[in-house]
Amino acid sequence: EPEVTQTPSHQVTQMGQEVILRCVPISNHLYFYWYRQILGQKVEFLVSFYNNEISEKSEIFDDQFSVERPDGSNFTLKIRSTKLEDSAMYFCASSRQGFMNTEAFFGQGTRLTVV
Amino acid sequence: SQQGEEDPQALSIQEGENATMNCSYKTSINNLQWYRQNSGRGLVHLILIRSNEREKHSGRLRVTLDTSKKSSSLLITASRAADTASYFCSIGSGNTGKLIFGQGTTLQVKP
């Protein structure tokens, strides 16, 4: 069964460093998303991406964050100048369509720890 | 806030019993999706129910949606220890597919 894959599963980084979280969405999906979940808290929407551009972003997704689809398969989240409060589980998701009531499938997540 | 709010926050039952979790929301929706999350793991999609649907089944899962009350429920019948997890409802609205999640219900099924 097709699935969303994320790498790495764990990432430890020094405060102030840049990290890139990688995702391979399901191949025939057109909409891509990043969410994050701070330990013990709810899952929060960061950004949606369609047709090679951001279609919506939350207040969390400020200039520190960027997304890219560098080729036909990968979808990346870059976090610049990481802060302690960026420590969280980051989930990538994809769906076949955005608004036409199709399921969004999530990857297993990347646990980011900023020290 | 658009977010779904689950109730109860925590639920502990014996294996074989049914578990019911509720979700309320505040805005109009395109769909409502339920997810399961095992501790420290990813989100597993369970069921999507569209705004024009009232009930949906998948195996031991039954989801209802009442748009007049802006609420949904997830029923797990004949629960198993392996059902122990957190369950989240998420609201799909707008035209980008963004999902807004609630805080979740933590379900413990005792063997």
Side-chain angles (χ1 to χ4, degrees), chain A residues 33 35 37 56 101 103-104, chain B residues 30-31 35 37 96 98-99:
Chain A
Y33 312 88
Y35 291 80
Q37 185 180 33
E56 188 171 0
N101 290 319
E103 298 89 344
Chain B
N30 295 332
N31 61 70
Y35 288 84
Q37 184 181 36
T96 66
K98 174 181 75 176
L99 295 174

Side-chain angles (χ1 to χ4, degrees), chain A residues 11-98:
Chain A
Q11 174 88 49
V12 180
T13 189
Q14 294 276 347
M15 195 168 53
Q17 295 296 305
E18 174 183 288
V19 294
I20 297 177
L21 310 183
R22 302 181 191 280
C23 169
V24 179
I26 295 173
S27 61
N28 64 345
H29 285 189
L30 301 177
Y31 288 77
F32 315 114
Y33 312 88
W34 283 101
Y35 291 80
R36 80 172 185 190
Q37 185 180 33
I38 295 171
L39 187 63
Q41 298 187 23
K42 63 180 166 68
V43 177
E44 300 174 290
F45 168 78
L46 293 178
V47 66
S48 60
F49 191 88
Y50 169 71
N51 200 26
N52 282 321
E53 61 182 20
I54 291 173
S55 48
E56 188 171 0
K57 60 182 181 180
S58 71
E59 292 177 353
I60 303 168
F61 195 88
D62 59 20
D63 292 343
Q64 185 191 4
F65 296 87
S66 62
V67 289
E68 193 178 33
R69 189 157 163 80
D71 52 42
S73 59
N74 291 285
F75 179 51
T76 62
L77 173 68
K78 182 188 291 186
I79 309 174
R80 287 178 284 273
S81 189
T82 50
K83 299 174 282 193
L84 295 176
E85 53 265 39
D86 295 327
S87 295
M89 184 78 95
Y90 288 81
F91 293 107
C92 173
S94 70
S95 65
R96 198 158 40 85
Q97 293 172 316

Side-chain angles (χ1 to χ4, degrees), chain B residues 79-91:
Chain B
S79 63
R80 304 166 182 169
D83 294 329
T84 294
S86 292
Y87 291 82
F88 295 90
C89 73
S90 61
I91 308 302

